Amino acid sequence: MPSATDELIQRLYESPPEGFVAARTAAIEQARQAGDKATAKRLAALKKPTVAAWVVNLLALRRPDLIEELVELSTALRDAQRGLDGSALRELTAQRRQVVSALVAAAGKLARGEDRSVKVPLGEVEATLTAALAEPEIAAQVRTGRLIRAATYAGFGEVPRPRLRLVTDEADVDSDDAEDHDEDADEGGEVVEFPQQSARERAAEERRKRELEQRRRELRRELSNAQSAEKRADTQLEKAEAAERDAGHVVEDLDAELAELERRRTEAQADVARRKQARRLAEREAAAARRQVGDVQAALEDLESDLSDC
């Protein structure tokens, strides 16, 4: 059974993102007032989801059965790919499109049910569900109902990368042509004898092969350097994206703090106004009391004067 904190977190990720920061701040304050520092720290670590992530979270939390259907289809697709089952793969691929479309429609309906004014980014939702279909790790994240941003996937399944061949040697073409000529000769029943290469021709061919081999080594070095540069650039991009997200979270937290300070300022101003009114009332009561004291003293003096005359 989920704890009260887990249920609170689920409500935060089910609610529209525009109210996430304020609701999280209120929950943190409540936990702190209760002396529950662990819960307050856990809540403070939660990040505001994008609209697309929120829509997917709604689907995962409200319709987990649909997510399980997606996961089962993903498993079937991977099995078909491993087994090279073409007919099953074609059928499952068509089914994949139908399932993803149905899930996107269901997610959009849930989101509009929560907030009619929300503009659902269906493309990002579809990309996230497609990524979950292809990657078990992404599917596991979707299942939690706590995504903070949409996911993407460039391809699908465990398809091996193609082996690329760089054609640089014209001798390959000549060899293929020679084989074709040999086959033609065999079919015609005639054997054609080619003249032997001269020493000069053989030397030129060897020189060209060395040049091509040298060029191939250079291209491989360039490819290796380019791949290293690409990897470094991807790492820098990931760091930059993470830094941008963290900065965005800081802004969100500061906005929440500013809103809280503004609320406290308004309450303090109202309290000052109430205390000012109370002070004025006290001043009036003090003045009336002083007047009463003066009146009583004057009456007492008159009475004492009359007594002395008797």
Side-chain angles (χ1 to χ4, degrees):
M1 179 179 296
S3 65
T5 302
D6 290 331
E7 291 177 353
L8 172 60
I9 293 174
Q10 177 173 329
R11 289 196 298 272
L12 284 173
Y13 281 97
E14 279 183 325
S15 303
E18 60 185 17
F20 182 89
V21 174
R24 181 189 60 187
T25 301
I28 293 172
E29 183 63 25
Q30 185 177 1
R32 287 172 177 168
Q33 291 177 356
D36 191 349
K37 295 182 179 180
T39 297
K41 184 177 180 179
R42 184 180 176 188
L43 294 172
L46 300 178
K47 303 302 181 183
K48 176 182 175 182
T50 64
V51 174
W54 166 65
V55 174
V56 176
N57 289 337
L58 266 183
L59 184 67
L61 295 171
R62 301 280 180 83
R63 294 298 306 275
D65 56 311
L66 296 181
I67 300 300
E68 291 305 317
E69 182 180 346
L70 189 75
V71 172
E72 291 176 3
L73 177 59
S74 173
T75 302
L77 273 166
R78 282 194 294 275
D79 290 343
Q81 285 179 320
R82 293 191 186 103
L84 300 178
D85 189 342
S87 60
L89 189 58
R90 285 191 295 273
E91 181 180 350
L92 290 170
T93 300
Q95 186 179 348
R96 172 173 63 92
R97 290 192 292 268
Q98 296 173 358
V99 169
V100 171
S101 297
L103 264 62
V104 171
K109 184 177 180 180
L110 287 172
R112 286 186 287 272
E114 288 292 317
D115 185 355
R116 292 184 177 275
S117 63
V118 69
K119 185 178 180 181
V120 181
L122 296 179
E124 294 182 43
V125 173
E126 181 178 358
T128 301
L129 294 174
T130 301
L133 189 60
E135 288 286 354
E137 292 181 0
I138 298 177
Q141 294 174 13
V142 168
R143 275 173 161 170
T144 66
R146 298 181 187 179
L147 285 181
I148 60 173
R149 63 173 181 170
T152 57
Y153 185 73
F156 180 80
E158 300 175 349
V159 179
R161 295 184 63 183
R163 298 181 62 185
L164 301 180
R165 182 180 178 216
L166 181 62
V167 179
T168 58
D169 194 346
E170 295 178 357
D172 293 341
V173 178
D174 296 337
S175 175
D176 292 339
D177 291 341
E179 291 176 1
D180 292 340
H181 285 304
D182 289 342
E183 292 174 358
D184 293 341
D186 290 341
E187 292 174 357
E190 179 182 357
V191 178
V192 180
E193 294 183 359
F194 293 93
Q196 296 293 324
Q197 288 181 318
S198 65
R200 180 180 299 177
E201 290 173 340
R202 287 196 299 272
E205 182 178 348
E206 290 296 326
R207 183 171 58 254
R208 177 160 178 76
K209 285 184 178 180
R210 287 194 298 271
E211 291 174 353
L212 293 173
E213 184 64 29
Q214 176 65 24
R215 180 55 179 161
R216 181 169 61 179
R217 288 194 293 268
E218 292 175 355
L219 289 174
R220 284 178 174 175
R221 284 196 297 270
E222 291 179 12
L223 176 61
S224 178
N225 293 335
Q227 289 173 335
S228 298
E230 179 187 23
K231 186 175 181 180
R232 290 193 298 270
D234 288 341
T235 300
Q236 292 297 323
L237 175 60
E238 291 176 0
K239 290 181 179 179
E241 290 177 342
E244 181 184 10
R245 290 194 301 272
D246 292 341
H249 294 320
V250 170
V251 172
E252 292 172 1
D253 292 341
L254 290 176
D255 287 341
E257 291 178 9
L258 287 173
E260 175 64 16
L261 290 173
E262 183 63 27
R263 182 187 65 80
R264 292 171 59 185
R265 178 175 179 274
T266 301
E267 291 179 352
Q269 288 177 331
D271 187 54
V272 168
R274 288 193 298 270
R275 293 180 183 276
K276 182 180 292 186
Q277 184 177 3
R279 188 260 301 169
R280 290 175 178 173
L281 178 60
E283 287 178 347
R284 290 195 295 269
E285 291 177 349
R290 284 193 292 272
R291 287 195 299 271
Q292 185 177 5
V293 168
D295 293 342
V296 172
Q297 285 179 342
L300 181 59
E301 290 174 357
D302 291 340
L303 179 59
E304 289 176 348
S305 177
D306 291 342
L307 288 174
S308 63
D309 291 342
C310 294

